[in-house]
Amino acid sequence: MSEWVALVVAMAAACAVVLAVVVLRRRTAGVEENVDETPDVIEYITMMIGVVYAIVLGLAIAGVWEARGAAQDDLFREAQSLREVSDRAVVYPAEFRDQVRSDIDAYVTYVVNVEWDYMSENGAITDKGTQLLDKVQNEVASRAPASDLESQTYQPIMDRIGQASDARNQRGQSAGPTMPGVVWFGLIGGAVVTIGMLFALQIRRTPRELILAACFSVLIAFLLFMIWDFDDPFARSVSVTTQPFVDLFPSLDLKG
């Protein structure tokens, strides 16, 4: 089942449950129950619960969106740093320059074509990818500069490799779900309480009230799905892609 089909099913289920409860509650209401009036205290409590839950939802959405944006920035920083290392290697002799560029290309190809799928499925980066990047760093670090131009370029290249390594580590930490379980407990529990308070308002079976109740439950289901979808920056439907690597290394045979 695709994620979008799951979203439609979840929203339809939430809508159906709310409508079913409203209709059944109306049918089974006792003759002494006054469904036309709701105590003011219940309206006030319902309003406060809705406000508090809206704040919680807003903070959760902002948190997962920020995490996704940070993951996108780290990926671009990793790709850009490696591109600069490849470009700055022009100051080295042809044999060493070609070796450095070949190792960078091997790392980028491995990350895009192999490691990305592993990271999406397992929520972690691979040891082989780390070894390929360490190979590039060790090659440059172990070669003594042979000219003034190489001496001037050595430190900037090492800085870019260090930035790529740091961005890679950040990518590994961002892989997998980022939302703690206790937050999900609060989000789901809050949704149940918030939707449940609809029944305390003694809504009737009029089309207007039923439509509003259904729309409210569908909205809550959609927002929870959106938080879940953004929660894993490198998987699911709205995820960070390998496009920075594809754009900066167009000569490589990379999966788009």
Side-chain angles (χ1 to χ4, degrees):
M1 180 184 298
S2 68
E3 295 172 3
W4 293 107
V5 173
L7 170 62
V8 174
V9 171
M11 292 191 300
C15 179
V17 168
V18 171
L19 293 181
V21 172
V22 171
V23 173
L24 292 175
R25 180 177 179 276
R26 176 63 175 173
R27 287 182 177 179
T28 58
V31 294
E32 297 181 355
E33 181 180 0
N34 187 353
V35 297
D36 296 325
E37 296 182 1
T38 301
D40 292 339
V41 65
I42 294 182
E43 293 183 353
Y44 176 77
I45 293 175
T46 302
M47 179 187 67
M48 293 305 300
I49 290 176
V51 170
V52 171
Y53 188 64
I55 294 175
V56 173
L57 276 177
L59 292 176
I61 293 173
V64 294
W65 180 259
E66 182 179 359
R68 182 186 182 278
Q72 181 71 60
D73 293 340
D74 290 335
L75 181 66
F76 180 80
R77 184 159 55 96
E78 181 181 0
Q80 181 64 36
S81 298
L82 292 174
R83 178 74 260 181
E84 292 186 18
V85 172
S86 183
D87 293 339
R88 290 173 183 267
V90 69
V91 302
Y92 292 112
E95 182 178 358
F96 183 76
R97 178 187 64 226
D98 293 343
Q99 181 63 42
V100 171
R101 289 178 174 176
S102 176
D103 291 339
I104 292 176
D105 292 347
Y107 170 77
V108 172
T109 302
Y110 176 80
V111 167
V112 175
N113 294 345
V114 179
E115 185 179 58
W116 200 264
D117 293 335
Y118 177 88
M119 184 178 62
S120 300
E121 296 174 0
N122 299 278
I125 56 178
T126 63
D127 293 335
K128 183 177 179 180
T130 303
Q131 293 171 1
L132 290 174
L133 186 57
D134 289 342
K135 182 180 178 182
V136 177
Q137 185 176 24
N138 293 335
E139 284 180 345
V140 177
S142 61
R143 185 183 187 279
S147 64
D148 291 340
L149 185 57
E150 290 185 17
S151 298
Q152 296 173 4
T153 309
Y154 173 80
Q155 191 57 49
I157 288 181
M158 291 300 299
D159 290 342
R160 296 302 181 277
I161 296 176
Q163 290 176 4
S165 179
D166 178 68
R168 172 180 173 79
N169 292 333
Q170 292 295 329
R171 174 161 59 87
Q173 294 178 5
S174 300
T178 58
M179 189 77 71
V182 65
V183 177
W184 275 115
F185 177 80
L187 290 173
I188 296 175
V192 173
V193 173
T194 302
I195 295 177
M197 289 302 295
L198 290 175
F199 310 128
L201 295 176
Q202 300 181 7
I203 60 177
R204 296 163 296 181
R205 292 172 55 187
T206 62
R208 180 180 60 182
E209 293 183 1
L210 291 178
I211 290 174
L212 289 176
C215 291
F216 181 74
S217 61
V218 167
L219 175 62
I220 295 297
F222 172 76
L223 292 177
L224 289 176
F225 173 85
M226 185 172 64
I227 295 173
W228 174 84
D229 203 20
F230 283 131
D231 188 30
D232 193 338
F234 299 106
R236 299 170 185 165
S237 60
V238 185
S239 61
V240 177
T241 67
T242 58
Q243 196 61 40
F245 282 119
V246 176
D247 293 340
L248 294 175
F249 295 88
S251 62
L252 301 180
D253 184 18
L254 303 178
K255 295 192 302 184

